[in-house]
Amino acid sequence: MAKLPPVLSTDDLALAELCAARIDGELVVIDEAWAPVDEPDLPSLRASAIGLRAPRTLVIERFSAAWVHDAIPAPPHVAQFCVSRTSRVAVISAPRLVIREVSISDADIIDFRHARCTTVARTGFDLLREPGHADPRPERVVAELCARQPLLIDELRARFAGAVRMPHRALALERLARIEAGQTLRHPVGDARQLPAPAQPSLRPAQPSLTR
């Protein structure tokens, strides 16, 4: 088979051909798209797969963006997109798709080749403000984003410090405080376990350390 583009849909090949290529081990299913098996599983690939659901003028956001940034293992059943309030976009109606208007700047958007997605910081900022005190998912996902990027907590706190009047700000700060406390418990400052242990005599040869 000739070199394929990063993601494929039924606009590129007939469904029967796509399914046959998957059975032959040449393609894998990713969201509602297909990708060559040797294509690296990168944010750009996941964004391109979700991006097939909507025009490129829309921006992947919230839980869909979290999947793009590899903070959750699978894409949401309903893809989440946003559009700037200043953009002129025709009404879009599609199954498994939700779109909302937001205030967003270009600095909050990653412009992949085939799709656009909110940055990690903007994704965390949006998820922390997701309504629903009883829903543990936003906090859990943002905690995963922060675990991957330790400086993200400081960036998020700075964002909320500069945005005093906004919906669900108090809820967002509560979630962020718990995330920060959880990270402190995992990596306490001055934890004796992080200090090298003094050398001890041993009757056995030293074992090589395990690495990940």
Side-chain angles (χ1 to χ4, degrees):
M1 178 178 285
K3 177 65 176 177
L4 297 171
V7 293
L8 294 165
S9 71
T10 52
D11 290 337
D12 302 295
L13 293 172
L15 180 59
E17 292 181 90
L18 293 168
C19 292
R22 180 179 63 82
I23 293 172
D24 291 341
E26 296 177 328
L27 297 178
V28 294
V29 176
I30 175 171
D31 194 39
E32 294 187 350
W34 287 261
V37 294
D38 58 350
E39 192 71 33
D41 184 17
L42 300 174
S44 57
L45 179 70
R46 294 188 288 273
S48 296
I50 292 185
L52 291 177
R53 299 197 195 187
R56 198 176 184 282
T57 51
L58 303 184
V59 180
I60 303 165
E61 66 151 5
R62 292 184 290 167
F63 288 105
S64 291
W67 179 65
V68 169
H69 296 305
D70 203 22
I72 55 177
H77 179 72
V78 178
Q80 295 174 316
F81 289 84
C82 67
V83 63
S84 172
R85 290 193 175 98
T86 60
S87 298
R88 294 183 177 180
V89 178
V91 175
I92 299 171
S93 178
R96 297 181 58 195
L97 185 69
V98 61
I99 306 167
R100 63 173 188 163
E101 288 187 342
V102 299
S103 296
I104 190 169
S105 68
D106 291 341
D108 285 331
I109 300 172
I110 301 175
D111 200 344
F112 294 112
R113 181 178 179 183
H114 299 287
R116 300 195 300 162
C117 179
T118 53
T119 62
V120 173
R122 176 60 191 243
T123 301
F125 184 70
D126 289 339
L127 286 174
L128 286 174
R129 293 181 295 124
E130 192 80 357
H133 285 77
D135 188 353
R137 294 177 304 158
E139 186 174 324
R140 188 166 59 236
V141 173
V142 177
E144 180 63 26
L145 290 172
C146 291
R148 294 168 178 270
Q149 297 192 20
L151 297 180
L152 180 58
I153 287 181
D154 294 334
E155 185 172 351
L156 291 171
R157 192 169 293 283
R159 276 178 171 257
F160 284 109
V164 178
R165 302 179 65 180
M166 65 167 49
H168 310 296
R169 182 176 184 272
L171 174 60
L173 291 177
E174 289 175 12
R175 287 170 169 163
L176 187 59
R178 287 193 295 266
I179 292 170
E180 189 169 13
Q183 289 214 334
T184 302
L185 288 175
R186 286 195 298 270
H187 306 288
V189 177
D191 190 338
R193 291 173 298 177
Q194 296 180 351
L195 301 177
Q200 296 291 338
S202 175
L203 299 178
R204 295 180 300 175
Q207 297 294 321
S209 61
L210 297 177
T211 58
R212 293 183 62 188

